[in-house]
Amino acid sequence: MTNNIIGFDAKRIVRNGTGLGSYGRTLVNDLAQRPDLVLRLYAPDQGRDDLRSQILERPNVSFCYPHGGRLSNSWWRIKGVVADLQRDGVQLYHGLSGELPIGIHKSGIRSVVTIHDLIFLRHPEFYNWVDTKIYAWKFRQTLKEADHVIAISECTKRDILYYGDIDEGKISIVYQSFAPRFSAEVTDEQRSQVRTAYQLPERYILNVGSIEARKNILQAVQALPLLPDDVALVIVGRHTSYTDRVLQYAHKHHLEQRVSVLHGVPDEHLPVLYAMAEAFVYPSVYEGFGIPIIEAISCGLPIVACTGSCLEEAGGPDSYYVQPGNVEAMADAIRHTLIGAEGRELRIENSKKYIRRFGGCSVASQVADIYQRLL
């Protein structure tokens, strides 16, 4: 390709601290290393300064915003952005979070959409009824607009084929990559600062992500009484009503001294929190991929996750997987990941080898190849 102009839906890049935002920022930064691509990031507003600044400043990367009020900005993202894409000479538009603007197909601009999961169809009990209807409509509308679909796992591809009307040949599986900071060495000074800032226990297992019923972190809390008394659980995520439920359970069962919930953790502290933990627990009932698992492995942690979705794809064969709801099995798996457990270091080493397939340059190359085929 020579100087192809690629547009991106950048709403999540500037607004979401984890998940979809991390996916977009990591992918764009990796693609920006290719001088043959001009990347234009279309966002409804500037979002958060700390997130927007994670996009590396390069001559081939720029942000684009609409002109108008809040309502106008929402409509711009749904449909109005197409006129701006045409004006800017964009040849291909990539919807990074499962959506494409209405009319992109008729405009003649080629399009790719990344679909992360269809949990709202697979497990609607975790969503508001109205939201599931809106999400389902957007999903089917997006399939009509898209020239190609990227699924972030085999699990997500199966769900797309099951719930959507699409030719399998239009779907490519491209796994997510993780940010380079999770592979960087953590200094003793960083460890001391972060431990003091959050009053961290000496020994803890870690969980990072949205704190909601689907993520099922209560199962890990319930496993704590079956673990050594000096092992605590540190949960990192935004406060929700489910957070209150978890803390109420901990208080009722006299576990409040062993459960810490951290909100508003700066991005630069996350790798340090990972590095000081003994293990990472991710008991989610259903995921499209589970990027925190990859981040944890990159930081040298063994993994305990749940079966039933894609987490085995993310964590590989040397992690532990238990059924959602099986507290005893979760406690047993966590015991096998704690420092001193037999085979722990070998499993960590093998898992690090496994996640090399998720390296940023490899993922960006696969995505760029899809662009090239479409153009």
Side-chain angles (χ1 to χ4, degrees):
M1 290 186 294
T2 303
N3 296 327
N4 288 131
I5 302 176
I6 312 297
F8 296 88
D9 176 3
K11 175 184 176 181
R12 309 291 182 180
I13 285 177
V14 300
R15 289 190 184 178
N16 287 49
T18 57
L20 300 180
S22 295
Y23 170 78
R25 290 187 292 273
T26 302
L27 178 60
V28 166
N29 282 334
D30 291 335
L31 287 170
Q33 299 179 47
R34 301 175 62 101
D36 56 330
L37 298 180
V38 176
L39 311 182
R40 299 182 66 87
L41 311 185
Y42 292 83
D45 51 49
Q46 292 189 340
R48 289 167 47 183
D49 292 343
D50 61 320
L51 299 180
R52 192 177 64 255
S53 65
Q54 290 179 31
I55 297 296
L56 303 178
E57 291 189 14
R58 292 181 181 271
N60 61 335
V61 180
S62 60
F63 279 95
C64 307
Y65 308 103
H67 301 285
R70 195 171 190 176
L71 183 60
S72 299
N73 289 359
S74 298
W75 179 247
W76 174 81
R77 182 170 177 264
I78 294 170
K79 186 174 182 179
V81 67
V82 175
D84 287 1
L85 300 176
Q86 292 175 308
R87 179 202 63 202
D88 296 341
V90 170
Q91 296 157 280
L92 182 146
Y93 185 76
H94 189 163
L96 294 171
S97 56
E99 298 179 46
L100 288 172
I102 297 170
I104 189 76
H105 185 70
K106 289 183 178 179
S107 74
I109 298 170
R110 305 290 275 171
S111 64
V112 175
V113 63
T114 297
I115 294 180
H116 297 261
D117 62 68
L118 296 178
I119 301 170
F120 54 89
L121 291 172
R122 182 64 70 180
H123 284 282
E125 67 272 19
F126 294 120
Y127 295 83
N128 177 281
W129 181 84
V130 174
D131 288 342
T132 63
K133 299 303 179 185
I134 295 172
Y135 298 155
W137 179 84
K138 285 184 176 181
F139 163 62
R140 296 187 175 100
Q141 181 65 32
T142 291
L143 291 190
K144 293 177 184 177
E145 298 282 356
D147 291 306
H148 202 79
V149 174
I150 291 175
I152 63 166
S153 66
E154 288 278 1
C155 178
T156 296
K157 179 182 177 180
R158 289 195 300 269
D159 282 353
I160 294 170
L161 291 171
Y162 183 80
Y163 290 106
D165 181 14
I166 186 173
D167 181 349
E168 185 175 358
K170 290 178 65 175
I171 305 175
S172 296
I173 297 172
V174 182
Y175 289 111
Q176 289 182 258
S177 57
F178 56 93
R181 64 182 179 277
F182 294 103
S183 301
E185 191 69 32
V186 173
T187 67
D188 290 339
E189 182 180 3
Q190 288 175 307
R191 291 170 185 263
S192 177
Q193 289 176 347
V194 170
R195 187 177 294 279
T196 300
Y198 300 108
Q199 298 182 314
L200 295 173
E202 285 299 317
R203 301 183 70 191
Y204 66 89
I205 52 177
L206 181 68
N207 171 265
V208 175
S210 303
I211 307 175
E212 56 187 87
R214 174 175 60 85
K215 299 288 188 175
N216 190 34
I217 191 57
L218 184 58
Q219 184 171 337
V221 176
Q222 292 168 333
L224 282 176
L226 305 176
L227 297 171
D229 292 341
D230 62 339
V231 174
L233 172 64
V234 174
I235 306 166
V236 179
R238 182 174 58 86
H239 191 101
T240 64
S241 59
Y242 181 74
T243 310
D244 295 331
R245 180 180 162 193
V246 169
L247 293 176
Q248 287 166 6
Y249 180 94
H251 178 74
K252 181 179 178 180
H253 293 83
H254 310 291
L255 296 169
E256 57 264 51
Q257 299 302 317
R258 299 178 66 184
V259 178
S260 301
V261 181
L262 309 182
H263 311 298
V265 173
D267 202 59
E268 63 270 18
H269 288 176
L270 270 180
V272 189
L273 287 168
Y274 278 119
M276 292 193 294
E278 284 196 36
F280 188 78
V281 61
Y282 203 69
S284 183
V285 173
Y286 207 86
E287 291 290 327
F289 184 63
I291 194 66
I293 286 178
I294 311 302
E295 295 170 351
I297 291 173
S298 182
C299 291
L301 294 184
I303 305 298
V304 176
C306 278
T307 58
S309 59
C310 68
L311 299 182
E312 293 96 330
E313 284 185 70
D318 288 276
S319 297
Y320 285 95
Y321 307 96
V322 302
Q323 286 186 331
N326 192 332
V327 174
E328 292 78 11
M330 172 151 286
D332 186 58
I334 292 173
R335 277 195 296 272
H336 283 85
T337 65
L338 298 177
I339 291 174
E342 184 178 355
R344 179 180 186 272
E345 299 307 317
L346 179 59
R347 287 193 297 273
I348 292 172
E349 182 182 342
N350 289 341
S351 293
K352 282 188 171 183
K353 292 177 182 176
Y354 175 82
I355 65 167
R356 288 175 186 167
R357 67 193 66 197
F358 307 129
C361 293
S362 173
V363 170
S365 294
Q366 293 176 66
V367 172
D369 286 346
I370 292 171
Y371 296 167
Q372 188 172 24
R373 291 201 303 270
L374 291 174
L375 293 171

